Amino acid sequence: MTDRDYPVQLVQPDGRRVHGARYAEVVADVDAQRLRALYEDMVVVRRVDTEATALQRQGQLGIWAPCLGQEAAQVGSAHALAADDYVFTSYREHGVAYCRGVDPAQWPRLWRGVALSCWDPNELALTNPAIVVGAQGLHATGYAIGAHLDGAEIATVAYFGDGATSQGDLAEALGFASSYHAGVVFFCQNNQWAISEPVTLQSPVPLAQRATGYGIPSARVDGNDVLAVLAVTRTAAARAREGSGPSFVEALTCRLGPHTTSDDPTRYRGAADLAPWQARDPIDRVRRLLDREDAWDDTLDTRVRAKADEVAAAFRAGALALADPDPMTLFDHVYTGPHPLLEEERGRYADYLRTLEEVPS
């Protein structure tokens, strides 16, 4: 049996440890205190996700891509990374962003539509959300090749969903990473639905097997088991840092909410599709593990809930404090220097805005 045949699992949905499990030694250092920290981060991420969805429904955000149900995949993998590892995300990695230290007040800027980015990528070694599906795989591969040429012993991580595995950009990234021995961890969150299409329509075999054709070692992991995700990602990241090349991780999870707040998931899936995954809730699983190992109490519960409310409140305050930008800033930072076509477009847009001002109210 290989890592591609059966997903790595260290904790069962009822909170029991899997005895003799592969990768268990990789997270042997995770004591009760660190397990509580993982639990806290997952609860905070879910609370912020709920707050952001509410803000969008209230007209305060333009759109939001919920990560409900994927907290273990994101928090577990983020905890496996070093501060100088460079992370390339898609548009759903809110858990990764939180674990990398994104200021909650900065988070809403892109989603409110007042800026082209939320934070300085080099400050956190974390890119801003990538809207073009799969493009971040190429960005991560190029960065990893450059980092290797500079002698940096880091891992570069590309996060993407199952839908992105059908994109040509990702296929090219896998090919380049394999050929150039790039230190990339391709982290696929297989959340079962590429917008409205189930993953079974995209591939008749596990997605991790796609990496095999490129000569890239792969592993499937229970994406709702935070310890298993932590262990598998640690292993892949260590391989990248030591110069052993790329890895592919398929984290099996489920997007319990809509693709974005513009989506109506009831049109393509029913309650029966979600019920098995709701029973495997990643946060409930860690709580049950803590309870079984006498590491859970009401004090922890109260503290974690308070922390989650605090971060969500900061997110909301940050969103509501954002002023609408000057329309002409649309042309700022498009190119590194002046460009004649851009200047022409800037002039035309300025003329258009002036005609609006002349229209009687």
Side-chain angles (χ1 to χ4, degrees):
M1 180 182 292
T2 70
D3 294 346
R4 295 195 311 273
D5 297 326
Y6 192 81
V8 177
Q9 186 183 77
L10 301 182
V11 182
Q12 299 177 58
D14 63 2
R16 289 181 296 167
R17 299 267 187 174
V18 179
H19 296 293
R22 295 167 293 155
Y23 290 91
E25 72 282 355
V26 180
V27 289
D29 61 313
V30 180
D31 56 13
Q33 182 178 353
R34 297 187 71 173
L35 192 58
R36 290 191 197 102
L38 289 166
Y39 174 78
E40 177 182 303
D41 284 354
M42 292 166 65
V43 172
V44 169
V45 169
R46 181 167 293 186
R47 177 68 181 84
V48 172
D49 197 53
T50 302
E51 192 71 25
T53 300
L55 281 164
Q56 193 281 329
R57 299 308 190 204
Q58 294 161 10
Q60 298 298 336
L61 296 183
I63 194 171
W64 183 253
C67 63
L68 178 65
Q70 299 180 220
E71 296 88 358
Q74 297 190 13
V75 171
S77 58
H79 274 252
L81 306 178
D84 58 348
D85 291 337
Y86 215 99
V87 181
F88 292 77
T89 70
S90 73
Y91 42 74
R92 203 182 304 279
E93 278 71 51
H94 312 308
V96 179
Y98 175 71
C99 292
R100 296 297 282 185
V102 169
D103 179 354
Q106 286 186 309
W107 215 334
R109 298 176 67 203
L110 176 67
W111 305 104
R112 192 171 168 88
V114 302
L116 298 175
S117 61
C118 301
W119 55 80
D120 180 352
N122 288 326
E123 243 180 68
L124 305 173
L126 172 74
T127 62
N128 280 272
I131 306 303
V132 179
V133 177
Q136 68 275 18
L138 285 170
H139 304 157
T141 301
Y143 191 93
I145 293 171
H148 175 73
L149 293 174
D150 287 344
E153 296 179 356
I154 65 168
T156 302
V157 187
Y159 283 92
F160 51 92
D162 48 293
T165 63
S166 297
Q167 293 289 338
D169 282 6
L170 194 62
E172 292 169 5
L174 290 168
F176 267 93
S178 178
S179 296
Y180 287 90
H181 214 57
V184 186
V185 177
F186 292 98
F187 193 93
C188 173
Q189 291 176 87
N190 180 353
N191 65 26
Q192 310 304 312
W193 296 92
I195 305 184
S196 60
E197 297 292 349
V199 68
T200 50
L201 287 182
Q202 296 183 70
S203 177
V205 299
L207 298 180
Q209 290 189 20
R210 290 188 169 184
T212 306
Y214 295 91
I216 297 175
S218 62
R220 304 182 86 205
V221 60
D222 182 340
N224 286 13
D225 177 353
V226 71
L227 285 184
V229 173
L230 174 62
V232 170
T233 312
R234 273 183 173 180
T235 303
R239 188 171 183 275
R241 293 187 203 107
E242 71 186 15
S244 295
S247 303
F248 189 104
V249 177
E250 179 187 0
L252 295 168
T253 182
C254 183
R255 168 173 58 78
L256 296 178
H259 178 70
T260 71
T261 47
S262 300
D263 173 39
D264 177 9
T266 62
R267 299 186 61 168
Y268 54 82
R269 69 183 187 192
D273 295 309
L274 297 182
W277 290 99
Q278 290 167 334
R280 305 173 197 164
D281 186 280
I283 295 178
D284 289 346
R285 187 180 307 201
V286 180
R287 174 169 176 164
R288 290 167 184 153
L289 173 61
L290 288 167
D291 194 39
R292 282 181 175 275
E293 300 187 353
D294 297 322
W296 174 268
D297 55 42
D298 291 341
T299 302
L300 172 63
D301 186 36
T302 301
R303 179 179 61 77
V304 169
R305 288 175 183 271
K307 176 66 173 180
D309 286 342
E310 175 189 334
V311 177
F315 183 98
R316 173 174 282 272
L320 299 181
L322 292 168
D324 291 340
D326 183 326
M328 293 305 298
T329 60
L330 177 67
F331 300 92
D332 295 346
H333 312 299
V334 177
Y335 295 105
T336 55
H339 190 285
L341 178 60
L342 190 67
E343 293 307 313
E344 180 184 344
E345 292 175 347
R346 187 197 302 270
R348 288 180 180 177
Y349 191 57
D351 291 342
Y352 167 73
L353 293 177
R354 278 192 291 272
T355 62
L356 294 182
E357 294 172 358
E358 294 167 1
V359 175
S361 57

